[in-house]
Amino acid sequence: MIATGPRLGWKGWLILVGLSCLILLPGISSLPPVDRDEARYAVATSQMLATGDFIDIRFQEEQRYLQPAGIYWLQSLAVTLTGTADDRAIWAHRIPSFLGILAAVLMTGALATRLYGRQAGLAAALLVATSFAVGFEARIAKTDAMLLATITAAHFALMQIYLKPVGRWWRPALFWAALGTGMMIKGPIILLFVGLALAVLLVWDRKLAWLTALKPLWGVPLFLAIVLPWYVAIGIVSDGGFYAEAVGDSLMGKVGESQQSHAGPFGYYLGLFSLTFWPGSLFFAYAGYWTWCNRKEAAVRYLITWIVPGWIAYELIATKLPHYIMPLYPAMACLAVAAIFVPGQIRAPLWVRIGAGLYGAVWLAYSALVAALGPGGLYWIEGRVSPMLILAGVLIGLAAVATLTLYLTGRRPAALIAGVVAGGLGAVTVYGNTLPRLETFWLTPRIVAAVEAHGACETTRLVTSAFREPSLVFRHGPYDTLLADGPAGAADALAADPSCSLALIDAAEAAPFLARAGTLSLTPQALAVIEGQNYSNGDEMALTLYRAGPAPTGPGE
């Protein structure tokens, strides 16, 4: 079943890179910092560059030990190379995420090409690039995009070894290097995804001999050389605190109970899959019967073990987020295109065809949701109508209908093209055009603009109480932003440096703030009001920017 046809030439790779950039780049610079995780990563990276401490990770004065240092190093490199350290440009912090997704897309294309031919390689890569969850992760500065790249690289190398144990040294080198890099990005998560697949594969095959091609005698030292220096250093610097928080609280805590209200029942990922892997979810679902019939093929068997154990494991883990099973998408894309491009198609029985029709209706419903997100989101949140977004929504809907119609009528390569068009339009419309325009959600840029307009000093210290989002700390600066303990604490901080400080106070806490300010002989002057919604918690906010006014004059003065 392994393809022997033409591979992707340099023109094919260039086309794939160009299309991926067209799909993934819009919005990467116009989308403001996203609370809360992205902004925390950006703040910690900024402080790492400012202090020169690349071992101990901090958010302001707090230790940030949820993840290893790898992603902060990559963001630091991106910020340094682009010369944006003083600009607090979030797009520079997002470069590693974009490159991580691009690497995963290209490796998916290379893998599918090796297995099923050139057309399958292009199609599989673009199904990953256009998937809804991937589009979001490519545009935010977190760990998940680079984690996807490292897991895809590890599986890419391991699958080559499995299918042909005798081969070049680069395959085991890539495998161990990917494991080590993944450990530096997000800790042992990569071992879960790769280790579960390997364990199930070994049980299924009952063959161990091919594992010697992994070259563990020099591969394990390579892995340790990547991982040990920082892991030892942080253990010493934190006196073991990193391991207690990252492994004990964060990693193991997510298994037993949901964290940060990110809970969901068993079947959570199955329920969201049609949207998160849209539009590729249609092709993967329709490849199910083909996959079952071809499970004895070595390549198909490997792809199954890449997907199924990891999916089940994450359904069992208490803490759930939609993007957690994203590392399974490359394997899903490979199976999706295999069912289209492999010769000798299998005619499915009637019950499978009926199920396909029913799922097609479900997929179309999700397609309608994606089509409506752009124009509907802008109207619902901002009260504005955009003819351009309406047109884009109509085109997405038409492309989705064409995708399903073409597939069910047997024109499956054409259906892939229509699906990729729908997915690309959806990503550009939602992430590139709609989200950046939702000013109601983006309070931080308006707050920073107000501070810059009214600050009386070269460096203005901003004291904030109710609005404590990391995006504000990033955009205004971690050393110039004080997260006060309540409105009274904000008044105290304003009084401590009245000439070069401003206070940001929500309407709900204005009375206690002004009362405390009065006892400190301050007469705060309102400078600007910023209204909107803190989308992190859903709170409607009316934030007033105050400066300390002159002390009141007594009688006769």
Side-chain angles (χ1 to χ4, degrees):
M1 188 175 291
I2 304 301
T4 58
R7 305 296 193 212
L8 277 175
W10 68 269
K11 291 182 180 179
W13 289 113
L14 189 61
I15 290 171
L16 180 55
V17 170
L19 289 175
S20 298
C21 289
L22 287 175
I23 294 165
L24 298 171
L25 281 177
I28 201 168
S29 61
S30 58
L31 188 66
V34 176
D35 289 312
R36 295 175 175 163
D37 283 345
E38 178 185 41
R40 289 193 180 107
Y41 282 107
V43 170
T45 299
S46 299
Q47 292 184 218
M48 184 177 281
L49 286 169
T51 62
D53 186 346
F54 290 87
I55 302 297
D56 194 18
I57 308 164
R58 291 184 176 269
F59 177 91
Q60 294 190 308
E61 296 303 318
E62 298 177 8
Q63 296 170 330
R64 182 164 170 79
Y65 290 160
L66 296 178
Q67 309 292 354
I71 194 64
Y72 304 100
W73 293 348
L74 292 174
Q75 289 189 24
S76 297
L77 180 62
V79 170
T80 301
L81 291 177
T82 55
T84 57
D86 296 331
D87 301 333
R88 302 188 187 101
I90 191 62
W91 65 265
H93 293 260
R94 290 168 174 165
I95 290 174
S97 291
F98 165 73
L99 293 178
I101 295 297
L102 182 60
V105 168
L106 295 178
M107 284 186 286
T108 303
L111 182 59
T113 298
R114 288 170 181 259
L115 295 176
Y116 306 119
R118 181 173 56 191
Q119 289 180 308
L122 280 171
L126 291 173
L127 286 183
V128 173
T130 56
S131 71
F132 207 63
V134 165
F136 185 66
E137 295 301 324
R139 293 169 170 86
I140 56 174
K142 300 202 298 124
T143 57
D144 298 283
M146 284 304 301
L147 179 67
L148 173 63
T150 58
I151 292 175
T152 305
H155 275 298
F156 178 82
L158 186 61
M159 188 174 187
Q160 302 304 307
I161 295 169
Y162 172 70
L163 295 177
K164 189 179 180 182
V166 178
R168 298 177 180 178
W169 63 269
W170 67 263
R171 298 185 302 177
L174 176 60
F175 174 77
W176 293 108
L179 287 187
T181 306
M183 279 285 292
M184 287 303 302
I185 295 295
K186 206 166 184 176
I189 296 299
I190 188 171
L191 303 181
L192 172 68
F193 276 104
V194 178
L196 279 176
L198 181 57
V200 172
L201 190 64
L202 293 175
V203 171
W204 192 345
D205 280 351
R206 297 187 294 277
K207 295 178 182 178
L208 301 176
W210 67 274
L211 290 179
T212 59
L214 285 173
K215 308 297 182 184
L217 289 179
W218 59 262
V220 172
L222 173 61
F223 168 80
L224 295 177
I226 296 171
V227 170
L228 279 185
W230 183 83
Y231 274 86
V232 170
I234 192 61
I236 296 171
V237 169
S238 67
D239 195 22
F242 169 79
Y243 298 104
E245 184 171 347
V247 179
D249 296 339
S250 179
L251 180 62
M252 300 309 297
K254 289 179 179 178
V255 175
E257 59 184 29
S258 62
Q259 293 186 344
Q260 302 173 340
S261 301
H262 300 317
F266 188 88
Y268 172 92
Y269 295 106
L270 183 62
L272 289 178
F273 164 74
S274 296
L275 177 63
T276 56
F277 193 49
W278 184 92
S281 50
L282 177 75
F283 303 103
F284 177 66
Y286 282 0
Y289 184 73
W290 180 93
T291 301
W292 174 254
C293 293
N294 289 277
R295 64 191 181 279
K296 293 182 180 180
E297 295 287 342
V300 175
R301 187 160 59 248
Y302 188 97
L303 293 171
I304 291 173
T305 59
W306 182 344
I307 297 168
V308 176
W311 192 321
I312 293 174
Y314 268 88
E315 291 284 16
L316 293 172
I317 292 173
T319 301
K320 291 180 171 65
L321 282 172
H323 63 272
Y324 276 1
I325 64 167
M326 194 169 66
L328 310 179
Y329 291 175
M332 295 178 183
C334 287
L335 288 175
V337 299
I340 294 174
F341 291 105
V342 172
Q345 294 297 321
I346 302 169
R347 179 168 176 78
L350 179 60
W351 66 270
V352 172
R353 298 199 299 273
I354 293 174
L358 294 175
Y359 179 74
V362 173
W363 184 84
L364 271 186
Y366 279 103
S367 301
L369 173 62
V370 174
L373 278 177
L378 187 67
Y379 178 75
W380 179 49
I381 296 170
E382 298 294 324
R384 289 185 282 146
V385 175
S386 169
M388 181 187 71
L389 291 182
I390 292 174
L391 176 61
V394 171
L395 292 176
I396 293 168
L398 291 175
V401 171
T403 300
L404 181 61
T405 302
L406 289 168
Y407 199 104
L408 293 179
T409 55
R411 291 169 287 180
R412 295 176 179 179
L416 271 172
I417 296 173
V420 167
V421 169
L425 281 174
V428 172
T429 300
V430 174
Y431 301 129
N433 289 285
T434 303
L435 284 181
R437 299 166 68 178
L438 301 182
E439 295 180 2
T440 299
F441 277 169
W442 310 121
L443 289 167
T444 287
R446 290 186 282 146
I447 293 169
V448 171
V451 172
E452 291 175 350
H454 296 286
C457 301
E458 182 177 352
T459 301
T460 301
R461 186 179 68 151
L462 178 63
V463 181
T464 179
S465 177
F467 189 75
R468 305 170 61 86
E469 298 305 322
S471 60
L472 183 58
V473 178
F474 171 68
R475 287 293 299 271
H476 187 64
Y479 302 112
D480 301 322
T481 307
L482 175 63
L483 304 180
D485 186 15
D492 292 339
L494 185 62
D497 185 14
S499 60
C500 288
S501 293
L502 298 175
L504 185 70
I505 305 298
D506 185 50
E509 60 182 15
F513 168 76
L514 294 173
R516 177 61 178 170
T519 65
L520 298 172
S521 299
L522 295 177
T523 54
Q525 298 176 343
L527 304 174
V529 177
I530 302 98
E531 296 180 325
Q533 183 181 28
N534 183 351
Y535 64 88
S536 293
N537 54 24
D539 291 346
E540 297 288 340
M541 308 199 83
L543 302 164
T544 301
L545 190 66
Y546 289 96
R547 78 155 49 101
T553 57
E557 294 186 7

